[in-house]
């Protein structure tokens, strides 16, 4: 879905190239985030936009207080920022909120497209103001049902599947 949103955005706009940064969170498993990054890259290749999209990734630390905020600020305004990314894809709520706050604080609204993760009152407001383009929201009701199913299956058989697929929905200004 992130790849779909990104390629759709790039096709609609006339800018020659886009610097796209995927912000990963060090508290999540690397493999799950790597799968997302690979899927985004495959979508870019499928749409033949490899020449227009320069994709990179960055693992944001969250092991110390304010580490994520400082690292994200440095991406956009640090001495090594080189004007920062044109598009930022956030794979965690914390990174989404940090990027949003940084974009607002450093007057980058309109210069950076943000594709976020999760829904909170702050993210909802940012989507409504069109500062965050969209966010991915996990179907928590379905997650709860699948958890109960997994517990029941384990209780009955002593085994349970390692993977239960949970739907995620895209929320943007149109369906907010």
């Amino acid at each position: 879905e992130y790849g779909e949103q990104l390629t759709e955005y790039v096709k609609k706009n006339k800018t020659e190239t886009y610097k796209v940064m995927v912000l990963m969170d060090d508290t999540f498993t690397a493999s799950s985030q790597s799968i997302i990054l690979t899927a985004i890259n495959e979508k870019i290749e499928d749409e033949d936009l490899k020449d227009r999209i320069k994709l990179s990734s960055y693992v944001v630390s969250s092991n110390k207080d304010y580490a994520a905020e400082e690292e994200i600020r440095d991406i956009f305004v640090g001495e090594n920022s080189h004007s920062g990314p044109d598009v930022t894809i956030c794979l965690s709520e914390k990174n989404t909120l940090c990027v949003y706050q940084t974009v607002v604080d450093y007057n980058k609204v309109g210069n950076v497209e943000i594709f976020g993760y999760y829904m909170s009152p702050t993210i909802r407001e940012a989507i409504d103001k069109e500062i965050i383009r969209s966010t991915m929201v996990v179907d928590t009701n379905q997650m709860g049902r699948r958890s109960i199913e997994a517990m029941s299956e384990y209780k009955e058989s002593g085994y349970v599947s390692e993977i239960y697929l949970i739907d995620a929905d895209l929320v943007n200004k149109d369906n907010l």
Side-chain angles (χ1 to χ4, degrees):
E1 190 62 48
Y2 284 120
E4 189 74 38
Q5 288 291 302
L6 174 62
T7 56
E8 183 180 305
Y9 171 74
V10 168
K11 286 178 183 179
K12 280 185 187 175
N13 295 290
K14 302 298 180 209
T15 302
E16 199 60 34
T17 60
Y18 289 87
K19 292 183 285 182
V20 178
M21 181 167 290
V22 178
L23 295 180
M24 301 184 183
D25 192 307
D26 70 347
T27 60
F28 298 124
T29 61
S31 62
S32 64
Q33 295 180 110
S34 179
I35 290 169
I36 294 171
L37 185 61
T38 300
I40 293 169
N41 212 13
E42 285 176 4
K43 184 64 178 176
I44 291 168
E45 289 176 8
D46 289 348
E47 297 291 329
D48 199 26
L49 293 171
K50 199 84 169 134
D51 294 338
R52 292 187 62 201
I53 299 174
K54 305 303 177 207
L55 187 67
S56 64
S57 64
Y58 185 85
V59 178
V60 178
S61 312
S62 56
N63 54 359
K64 294 184 280 182
D65 290 342
Y66 303 108
E69 290 86 345
E70 290 175 11
E71 288 181 29
I72 288 172
R73 181 192 59 81
D74 288 346
I75 289 169
F76 290 97
V77 295
E79 56 190 59
N80 294 325
S81 70
H82 306 297
S83 79
D86 302 307
V87 178
T88 305
I89 299 173
C90 305
L91 302 185
S92 75
E93 175 191 15
K94 184 174 187 174
N95 290 347
T96 302
L97 292 170
C98 290
V99 169
Y100 163 66
Q101 195 60 54
T102 300
V103 165
V104 170
D105 289 349
Y106 292 96
N107 200 25
K108 301 275 187 181
V109 173
N111 297 336
V112 180
E113 288 297 322
I114 304 169
F115 296 90
Y117 178 81
Y118 197 67
M119 182 61 75
S120 69
T122 303
I123 293 172
R124 179 182 299 277
E125 183 180 317
I127 291 171
D128 192 45
K129 292 179 179 178
E130 298 182 353
I131 298 170
I132 294 178
R133 176 173 279 277
S134 64
T135 190
M136 295 300 297
V137 181
V138 174
D139 186 339
T140 53
N141 289 330
Q142 184 183 49
M143 184 182 297
R145 285 191 307 275
R146 295 278 166 86
S147 298
I148 299 299
E149 290 170 13
M151 287 178 22
S152 296
E153 182 180 331
Y154 182 74
K155 189 175 179 180
E156 289 174 19
S157 68
Y159 300 99
V160 68
S161 173
E162 289 184 23
I163 298 174
Y164 282 85
L165 298 177
I166 306 297
D167 294 332
D169 297 315
L170 178 81
V171 178
N172 57 30
K173 177 110 173 141
D174 296 335
N175 65 3
L176 189 60

